[in-house]
Amino acid sequence: MKQLKNVLFPSNLSSESFSVFKKFIAGHGSSISEITILSKVLRPINAFAESSITAMGGSWIAPEQYLERENKHRDDLGKEWVSYAESQGVKAKVVVDDELGDVSDSVDKYAKENKQDMIVVGSFATATEAFFIGSIARQVVRQADIPVLVYHNKSN
């Protein structure tokens, strides 16, 4: 693989995604200058969230509180990912996107605005899930103007 200056790794920061991240770093870390971990915060629909949480005996939290908590949680997890990458000799940073919008649109926008050389994404949807509700990895591949490396979950 040629030297890549900037690689974008979109992630929900799950343990499954971290496994893909580690595999990528192990296999290609020496070929990249920097990896950016992009984590998109999905915003709950206020009315749906309020009625569902209340019906389950919980209390509703304001969208601002949710975003604040989610951003902090992702920042904390992201620090662990950065630490791992740097322990492997790879410069890394985390970007948390809490703007309204779709995950694949966020990935495409970030890649274009920040001149990324490649996107690396894990595919975790089963064939049935991908058929009925779609696949973020598939949508990222369709939208990208740059190479996309997809790591498929073995259970697919």
Side-chain angles (χ1 to χ4, degrees):
M1 179 179 283
K2 72 173 190 162
Q3 185 70 26
L4 298 169
K5 185 174 180 185
N6 298 305
V7 173
L8 182 61
F9 190 94
S11 175
N12 62 359
L13 302 175
S14 67
S15 59
E16 295 86 3
S17 188
F18 189 53
S19 293
V20 170
F21 182 75
K22 291 192 296 189
K23 285 178 190 174
F24 175 73
I25 296 291
H28 305 287
S30 63
S31 301
I32 61 175
S33 298
E34 182 175 20
I35 189 164
T36 300
I37 303 142
L38 175 66
S39 188
K40 175 75 174 161
V41 176
L42 300 176
R43 293 176 177 231
I45 301 169
N46 294 347
F48 175 76
E50 183 175 0
S51 63
S52 298
I53 291 170
T54 304
M56 294 170 41
S59 62
W60 181 78
I61 61 172
E64 297 80 17
Q65 289 175 304
Y66 167 79
L67 288 175
E68 185 178 309
R69 287 182 191 174
E70 194 62 27
N71 283 340
K72 180 168 178 4
H73 175 68
R74 288 175 190 251
D75 283 339
D76 291 344
L77 281 173
K79 287 176 186 171
E80 294 175 25
W81 288 48
V82 167
S83 178
Y84 174 79
E86 290 178 348
S87 76
Q88 302 301 306
V90 177
K91 184 177 175 186
K93 69 179 179 179
V94 175
V95 174
V96 177
D97 177 4
D98 65 0
E99 297 297 318
L100 286 172
D102 184 68
V103 174
S104 58
D105 290 340
S106 176
V107 170
D108 189 53
K109 179 181 176 185
Y110 187 91
K112 287 177 180 170
E113 289 178 355
N114 295 279
K115 297 179 176 55
Q116 301 295 289
D117 297 314
M118 175 184 274
I119 299 169
V120 178
V121 64
S123 176
F124 305 104
T126 65
T128 304
E129 290 168 338
F131 179 78
F132 286 108
I133 60 174
S135 161
I136 291 171
R138 182 180 295 158
Q139 191 61 34
V140 167
V141 169
R142 288 181 177 156
Q143 284 183 254
D145 294 332
I146 59 174
V148 178
L149 178 60
V150 179
Y151 280 79
H152 291 277
N153 185 357
K154 288 183 172 57
S155 66
N156 285 346

